[in-house]
Amino acid sequence: MFEVFKKELKELLRDKKTLLFVVALPVAVFPLLFAVVAFISSQAALDAEQKVHTYAIINGDFAPEFTEKVFYHKSFEQYKGAKTFNSIEELKEGVIAGDIDMGIYLPTNAKQALNDAQQSKWEVVFNDAKSINFLFQRVKELAKEYSDSLQTEKLISFGIEKEAHLALLTPIEVVKVDTADKRENLGEKLGGFLPYLLIPIVLMGATYPAIDLGAGEKERGTLETLLLTPITRTELVLGKFITLLTTSIASTTITVLSMGGWIAVALAFADLEVIKTAFSSLAVSDLLMIFVLLLPIAAIFSALALAISIYARTFKEAQNYMAPLSMGVFFPIIVSIMPNVELTAKTAFIPVTNVALAIKEIVKGTVDYTLVGLIFLATAIIAGALLAFCVKWFNREDVLFR
């Protein structure tokens, strides 16, 4: 078994593609990828924020203060083309044709409606499917300012002192008193995304080498040679499994160390207050606990990947079988970020979901160590069962020589 392990490990270390997936991706590529995505997203949001949108307004004379606010707003520019807009339908056609980005329709009785104790309805026409849907929010804010001024004028005309307006309009104020500290609050939001980075990398550290150890051996015709050696098939499977477990653990170790290193760099050099608040209290012991939780997950993925690879006839066929496994691992991670899904004695037995929930609790600083032990035990039992299945699978002639 040990000789098989040494042989497989040497072959994997000579393979540059394996080193790329196991070492380079966790250390540099993924953090770089996330940084690029964050940069592009922030730039796109900044561009959208600074973009000036063309608008047309109907019946603007009936609310001159509001019309003036829109006219002088930095994000809006009045339409100066030849077309005229006199109805909602014409505003819609103007938006669809691209003549204007937004149309505002004001009723002619905005102030009179208030005198008649009626609510005035204003309509904003725009394409909400585009990434400029904050247009509506900006107009709503301007309309609220105008609405508040009308409201104040009316209350004063009724003889109500300005100091009493707030108590009259909002007699009850509900104030939130949050018992969660900043780490717990931000950990709830950010901690749920860490499994999206860590668990797929652990899977990747097992799947790519597994393809070569199973289907690759078949394709090269070296599997028969291995079977003729004086070792049992169980030892052969265990040798390959330990090799995969080693690469997956190596990938896990590098990932956790890389994550800790990148967080330290972010804390030292970048002015990211959210990241600092969320991770400044994340101790080395927390990173070690995340690492320990990922170990049995690595064993599960190694056993599954080896069983699939042994079944496949060729390298390409093994890649096709691995694809659903890669996609399937995201489903239990998604479950972990659903509302009201928490780490309990029940969820501690759901594979992958339990580890994702535990990582979130570790980042929040509210992890229950008893449940962590339960997760480790449950995941280790599943990994052992899958390894036993893998050994049985390898002993079947119809699987080895399909």
Side-chain angles (χ1 to χ4, degrees):
M1 182 180 73
F2 185 65
E3 292 301 322
V4 174
F5 169 67
K6 282 201 303 184
K7 171 248 179 198
E8 301 291 4
L9 198 59
K10 280 182 183 176
E11 288 185 359
L12 288 177
L13 290 175
R14 289 174 187 152
D15 186 0
K16 291 180 180 176
K17 289 182 180 176
T18 302
L19 294 177
L20 174 70
F21 279 96
V22 175
V23 179
L25 282 178
V27 170
V29 176
F30 274 102
L32 187 63
L33 192 65
F34 276 84
V36 169
V37 170
F39 176 74
I40 292 173
S41 302
S42 62
Q43 283 299 310
L46 186 63
D47 291 343
E49 184 74 22
Q50 294 177 341
K51 187 177 178 182
V52 177
H53 302 284
T54 309
Y55 76 95
I57 188 165
I58 298 175
N59 298 327
D61 294 340
F62 292 93
E65 297 90 342
F66 169 76
T67 305
E68 189 177 343
K69 282 178 182 294
V70 176
F71 182 80
Y72 287 110
H73 196 285
K74 64 179 181 180
S75 299
F76 300 129
E77 181 182 16
Q78 193 169 21
Y79 174 68
K80 297 174 182 173
K83 287 188 178 180
T84 57
F85 302 98
N86 299 302
S87 65
I88 286 285
E89 292 305 319
E90 289 180 358
L91 288 175
K92 285 181 181 176
E93 289 173 5
V95 171
I96 292 171
D99 298 321
I100 55 175
D101 294 321
M102 175 183 68
I104 304 174
Y105 182 83
L106 307 183
T108 57
N109 61 343
K111 288 191 175 179
Q112 185 57 41
L114 188 61
N115 292 330
D116 298 339
Q118 293 179 351
Q119 191 178 43
S120 181
K121 183 181 176 183
W122 296 13
E123 295 177 74
V124 181
V125 181
F126 68 105
N127 187 347
D128 198 25
K130 293 184 178 178
S131 58
I132 55 173
N133 55 3
F134 50 81
L135 270 175
F136 181 71
Q137 188 60 33
R138 285 176 179 163
V139 175
K140 198 174 176 182
E141 288 171 1
L142 295 176
K144 187 177 183 310
E145 288 179 23
Y146 180 63
S147 173
D148 289 345
S149 66
L150 288 179
Q151 194 176 56
T152 302
E153 287 176 19
K154 182 57 65 179
L155 290 172
I156 290 174
S157 71
F158 289 156
I160 301 172
E161 295 295 330
K162 198 170 182 179
E163 291 72 18
H165 292 183
L166 189 62
L168 186 66
L169 297 172
T170 313
I172 297 174
E173 183 185 11
V174 179
V175 180
K176 181 173 72 174
V177 180
D178 192 0
T179 59
D181 57 23
K182 283 188 177 178
R183 175 180 175 179
E184 186 178 348
N185 210 336
L186 289 170
E188 176 69 26
K189 297 176 180 69
L190 297 177
F193 293 97
L194 274 183
Y196 278 104
L197 171 66
L198 297 175
I199 295 177
I201 288 181
V202 175
L203 175 65
M204 194 179 297
T207 52
Y208 188 80
I211 294 173
D212 189 63
L213 265 59
E217 295 269 18
K218 281 186 180 180
E219 204 165 8
R220 292 191 297 271
T222 53
L223 182 62
E224 290 81 355
T225 309
L226 273 177
L227 294 172
L228 291 174
T229 55
I231 56 174
T232 65
R233 292 192 179 184
T234 300
E235 290 173 330
L236 196 57
V237 173
L238 289 177
K240 289 179 179 291
F241 171 78
I242 293 171
T243 307
L244 292 179
L245 188 61
T246 303
T247 58
S248 188
I249 289 173
S251 182
T252 306
T253 308
I254 293 168
T255 302
V256 174
L257 290 176
S258 171
M259 186 182 73
W262 282 102
I263 290 172
V265 170
L267 292 175
F269 297 104
D271 187 20
L272 300 173
E273 194 59 37
V274 174
I275 300 294
K276 284 183 179 178
T277 307
F279 293 105
S280 58
S281 52
L282 198 64
V284 175
S285 59
D286 295 325
L287 290 176
L288 282 174
M289 199 181 304
I290 292 174
F291 173 74
V292 169
L293 282 170
L294 290 174
L295 290 179
I297 286 286
I300 287 178
F301 290 157
S302 298
L304 274 175
L306 186 58
I308 292 171
S309 183
I310 289 169
Y311 181 75
R313 282 176 288 205
T314 62
F315 201 92
K316 190 176 180 181
E317 190 177 320
Q319 285 180 316
N320 293 335
Y321 290 151
M322 293 290 180
L325 178 63
S326 302
M327 290 186 288
V329 78
F330 284 100
F331 178 73
I333 301 175
I334 292 171
V335 171
S336 70
I337 61 170
M338 287 183 175
N340 297 325
V341 177
E342 296 178 346
L343 182 59
T344 63
K346 288 183 180 176
T347 55
F349 286 95
I350 305 174
V352 183
T353 299
N354 51 9
V355 174
L357 286 169
I359 290 174
K360 187 166 72 173
E361 294 293 329
I362 291 169
V363 176
K364 286 167 61 180
T366 56
V367 68
D368 185 334
Y369 295 104
T370 307
L371 292 178
V372 170
L374 203 59
I375 291 171
F376 190 86
L377 182 65
T379 317
I381 290 172
I382 294 171
L386 285 171
L387 180 59
F389 168 76
C390 202
V391 172
K392 190 176 180 182
W393 197 237
F394 202 82
N395 279 287
R396 288 176 54 173
E397 298 291 330
D398 58 331
V399 171
L400 285 181
F401 304 105
R402 290 173 61 226

